[in-house]
Amino acid sequence: TPAPAAAPVVSGATRQVAGISWSRPTNGQIFSNFGGTNKGVKFAGNAGQPVYAAADGEVKYSGSGLRGYGNLLIIQHNSQYLTAYGNNATIMVKEGQKVKRGQQIATMGNTDATRTQLHFEVRENGNAVDPTKFIP
């Protein structure tokens, strides 16, 4: 099913999936969908625009050690689910920090990317799954 990428983002819209309340991690349209070599979706945007936690959780990783992800954040939501936020310009949270859905965690950038974007992944038991099935 095609992702509803062109739908306007309603501030504060949430969706309940797997007992977690999810929201979009940033404003902007998805320009690259999940599938093939893409383990997530890519949101278009402007340098410095806010990146938000898609759900409540704890920051498990903050750094630039994974090739292709640039400045990367990984947030664990429960024993099954985590989200990854890549290519950020700046990271505003630390490993071990608890975050709330909608809290700003980073600013959009183009670290390790050819354009300003947010690379966003949802992982279920370690496997990449289509983020559009979770976020509104």
Side-chain angles (χ1 to χ4, degrees):
T1 56
V9 176
V10 180
S11 171
T14 61
R15 185 195 237 178
Q16 295 288 337
V17 182
I20 299 171
S21 182
W22 303 85
S23 63
R24 287 171 77 91
T26 194
N27 295 319
Q29 292 190 351
I30 293 171
F31 70 89
S32 179
N33 289 311
F34 176 81
T37 59
N38 192 5
K39 299 202 179 303
V41 295
K42 295 185 190 327
F43 285 90
N46 300 308
Q49 96 178 32
V51 173
Y52 306 105
D56 295 357
E58 183 180 327
V59 179
K60 286 296 180 191
Y61 178 83
S62 171
S64 57
L66 283 167
R67 203 171 103 89
Y69 286 92
N71 291 328
L72 173 69
L73 272 172
I74 296 175
I75 297 175
Q76 182 90 42
H77 302 293
N78 61 19
S79 60
Q80 275 184 296
Y81 290 97
L82 60 80
T83 48
Y85 310 77
N87 311 124
N88 299 294
T90 57
I91 291 178
M92 304 167 78
V93 291
K94 296 180 172 58
E95 287 177 22
Q97 184 175 336
K98 298 255 193 277
V99 294
K100 289 283 185 206
R101 177 180 46 75
Q103 177 180 338
Q104 185 174 353
I105 54 173
T107 59
M108 195 181 287
N110 62 354
T111 56
D112 232 352
T114 54
R115 62 177 282 180
T116 298
Q117 64 185 33
L118 170 65
H119 175 80
F120 177 68
E121 293 183 13
V122 176
R123 291 194 173 238
E124 180 180 3
N125 298 320
N127 299 309
V129 291
D130 186 348
T132 63
K133 294 184 175 13
F134 295 85
I135 57 173

